[in-house]
Every structure is written in structure tokens, then in C-alpha cells.
Amino acid sequence: MNPRIYAKSDNLNELNADYEQTPLQQGVFLNSVPKCGTHLLRNIFRMFVPVEQQYHNDFIQFPTLPKNMAAFDPASPKLSWGHLLFSDQSALALSTVKQVLIVRDPYDWVLARARFFLSDTFQAQLDHLKSGKLNIEEILNMMIFGIHQRVPDLKDIFTHNGVAWLGTGVKLVRYEDLICHLNDLNSKRAQAYFTDLLSVLGINELPADWQQRVATGADRKQSGTARENLKEVSHEIPAILPPAQRQLVDFAAPGLRQILGYN
């Protein structure tokens, strides 16, 4: 499957000029399980790094890793991002940079994945899923168990893009924690959270305008994959994963939520 993704562009590079930037001394790679807030995390980090040190050449994934090795050149530190599954090649490539890994509660991930697959933003040879002939429960089950020989299942994606990186020195970020502190930027807890999160950039003390920078990067209008910016979602997606599908997630990937910190 070779999907095409049509997402709106942003003007964050221009907004970056509103803030004084400190050059990176070591490269940073923002890794993620797909549909876990990748663009949100990336856009926040972009407000704290000079544009010329942001690697915009590609959204790095395993098949494109060989042609993007410049993103990890220690002589020219860059902020880069993508979905890079765990492997010997990936680990070697990232050995010179700091890595941040963002994950999401698998229950909510199923809904986010379904919403994306059923939108016109995502275009692949799966348009029959948008025909209306399948009910939403069938779609959700496909997000959990995959589609035979066409779409990988939840366990496979979380295993190779997320769990396999744990215990290797990556900085783990949970999407829900990020959202919680974004919604409470004036609190001391949020300041402590973003001080820790952004320390991977070599920032020891947040700049005085850190809240404005974070809010600018987190502006949902700047993200083509934010829920409200997806084009024409064909089904109504429930706000909470139904009980039956929760049980199926636990069956398909036992222990997954626990190892990621979701109880």
C-alpha cells in the first residue's frame, strides 16, 4: 500500500522568526507511533529551534532512511521527525542524536486511525472503506486487526514503532500528558513538564515567552492532520472506543497499554 496524504501546509517557519532561537548543539529526532500526535509534537519543537536547523527534506520512515542520513550528521545538528521503526539500521542512524518517542493510549489510537483512514486526507487503494457499506464497528476492528496483506495490525505497529524502542534511552512522551499540560499552560506543573520535555534541545531554562511559543506550535489550525482539518470523514466516529473493541484491543495486544503506562 502506497498511500498519499494531502494535508494543509503551515506558516510556522515564518512565525519562528518572531522568537529568539538558540542553535542546537546535538541533533534531535522526534519519533512516533503513527497517529499519536506526531505533527503536534513536531510543531511545538519547531518554535524552539532555528529554521535552518530543521530538517524539512522528508518525513523520515524506514524505507527512506538511507537517503536522509544527513538529518543525523553530528557535524550539522538538526531537528528531524518521522515514523522510524526499530531495527539495527535505525538504531545505528540515531546513535548520534537524542530521540523523543510519542505514543498514545491504544484505545484512542484505534479511533484516531479510523478517523484518518476514513477521511479524504488519506488516499490509498482503500476507498471502499468509505463507501458506507461497512459499519463503524467493522472499521474499528480492521484498525485493531489490520486488513490481510494490506494494512498492518495494531500490535505490529505499536511493537515495531514504539515498544521496541523502550529501554534504549529514548524520551517517552504520552500524547495525553502533552494535551493535559497544553490545556493548563499557566500552571507550574505545565512549566515543569515543558522544561523537562524541551531539555532534549539543550534548553536548560525556558525562555520568558515559552508559553506563547508552545501555544503557537500547538495551534490546531497549523496541523493538517488535526481532527477538524481532516477532509470529509465518511463515518461518524465515536468519542470513546466501545467496550467490545476495548476487549479486542486487550486480546490483540495483551500488556501493551500497561507497558506504555496506561492502566
Side-chain angles (χ1 to χ4, degrees), residues 128-140:
H128 57 286
L129 300 183
K130 309 171 188 177
S131 67
K133 297 179 180 179
L134 299 171
N135 64 44
I136 189 58
E137 290 79 14
E138 290 169 324
I139 298 292
L140 295 177

Side-chain angles (χ1 to χ4, degrees), residues 92-165:
L92 285 169
L94 299 183
S95 64
T96 61
V97 304
K98 297 179 181 179
Q99 184 182 171
V100 178
L101 174 67
I102 186 167
V103 298
R104 187 177 197 157
D105 187 331
Y107 290 166
D108 292 332
W109 179 88
V110 172
L111 299 172
R113 191 189 197 195
R115 187 177 297 106
F116 188 63
F117 268 52
L118 295 173
S119 74
D120 286 344
T121 301
F122 179 84
Q123 295 191 14
Q125 296 178 347
L126 296 171
D127 284 349
H128 57 286
L129 300 183
K130 309 171 188 177
S131 67
K133 297 179 180 179
L134 299 171
N135 64 44
I136 189 58
E137 290 79 14
E138 290 169 324
I139 298 292
L140 295 177
N141 284 9
M142 291 178 197
M143 300 300 102
I144 297 168
F145 295 104
I147 300 175
H148 183 58
Q149 296 183 341
R150 303 184 75 180
V151 176
D153 61 29
L154 174 151
K155 182 178 180 180
D156 184 68
I157 292 175
F158 270 87
T159 295
H160 297 291
N161 287 277
V163 175
W165 284 109

Side-chain angles (χ1 to χ4, degrees), residues 45-59:
F45 270 69
R46 285 170 61 191
M47 292 298 98
F48 293 86
V49 176
V51 171
E52 58 270 21
Q53 286 191 297
Q54 299 177 20
Y55 190 80
H56 289 277
N57 300 43
D58 201 355
F59 190 91

Side-chain angles (χ1 to χ4, degrees), residues 174 255-263:
R174 296 179 187 86
L256 175 60
R257 295 184 72 245
Q258 182 178 6
I259 200 169
L260 294 178
Y262 298 100
N263 298 315

